[in-house]
């Protein structure tokens, strides 16, 4: 049995970054897919610490909150920077990703038809800080922080891939971000995961 289990809805949502991380690190995991009907029945929701998914199991250790799960995996696999300053920058990047993820989630769930045009109009302003971080880190030729991949790279990659679906061409004004996405998705294990039915058949947006 794989040591890791992801309990979540049948969407990419808040779990695809951790799936990318696990796949790229050569790990296997089990999926426990929760349908809307099962969730609405109530017992599973009541059993979850915060009344929400994802739920992540690492052996007999259970963890909730998607960003806490990413940080746990970051520590486990040495994906948390090489010193305290890099670790702080990794946290900063992931917090920036979370800010935009929340805005995007709100758009999808509450205001898609009326708000999409305005959201896309303001998107460049939200993406520019990540381009700036790449400029400041070896001229954008490495990762988002330092010269080793971190959990924040998977989080950011997931966010950027989702936005390329939502707003094709949104990375065109950002050559370093565009190259960064192509560089990461070309990593052999990550490339295989992104081409797999497990990834491609899961809806991009859904219950989060």
């Amino acid at each position: 049995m794989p040591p890791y289990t992801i309990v979540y809805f049948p969407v990419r949502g808040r779990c695809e970054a951790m799936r990318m991380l696990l796949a790229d690190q050569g790990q296997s995991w089990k999926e426990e897919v929760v349908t809307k009907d099962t969730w609405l029945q109530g017992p599973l929701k009541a059993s979850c610490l915060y009344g929400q998914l994802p739920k992540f199991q690492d052996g007999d250790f259970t963890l909730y909150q998607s960003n806490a799960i990413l940080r746990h995996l970051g520590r486990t696999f040495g994906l948390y920077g090489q010193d305290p300053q890099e670790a702080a920058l990794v946290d900063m990047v992931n917090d920036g990703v979370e800010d935009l993820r929340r805005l995007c989630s709100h758009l999808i769930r509450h205001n898609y038809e009326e708000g999409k045009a305005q959201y896309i109009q303001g998107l460049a302003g939200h993406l520019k800080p990540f381009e700036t971080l790449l400029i400041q880190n070896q001229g954008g030729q490495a990762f988002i922080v330092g010269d080793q991949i971190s959990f924040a790279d998977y989080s950011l990659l997931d966010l950027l891939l989702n936005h390329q679906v939502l707003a094709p061409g949104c990375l065109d004004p950002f050559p370093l971000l565009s190259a960064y996405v192509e560089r990461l998705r070309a990593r052999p294990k990550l490339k295989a995961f992104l081409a797999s039915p497990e990834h491609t058949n899961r809806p991009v947006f859904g219950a989060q």
Side-chain angles (χ1 to χ4, degrees), residues 45-62:
K45 180 179 176 70
S47 74
C48 293
L49 184 62
Y50 295 101
Q52 60 191 26
L53 297 176
K55 173 183 178 181
F56 185 82
Q57 293 174 281
D58 179 351
D60 58 2
F61 176 59
T62 299

Side-chain angles (χ1 to χ4, degrees), residues 157-176:
L157 177 61
D158 177 47
L159 182 81
L160 296 176
L161 291 176
N162 289 347
H163 276 83
Q164 285 182 314
V165 173
L166 178 67
C170 65
L171 297 186
D172 290 351
F174 304 107
L176 294 182

Side-chain angles (χ1 to χ4, degrees), residues 50-77:
Y50 295 101
Q52 60 191 26
L53 297 176
K55 173 183 178 181
F56 185 82
Q57 293 174 281
D58 179 351
D60 58 2
F61 176 59
T62 299
L63 196 58
Y64 298 91
Q65 297 287 355
S66 57
N67 287 306
I69 295 165
L70 282 172
R71 289 192 291 270
H72 170 64
L73 293 172
R75 295 184 189 98
T76 299
F77 295 106

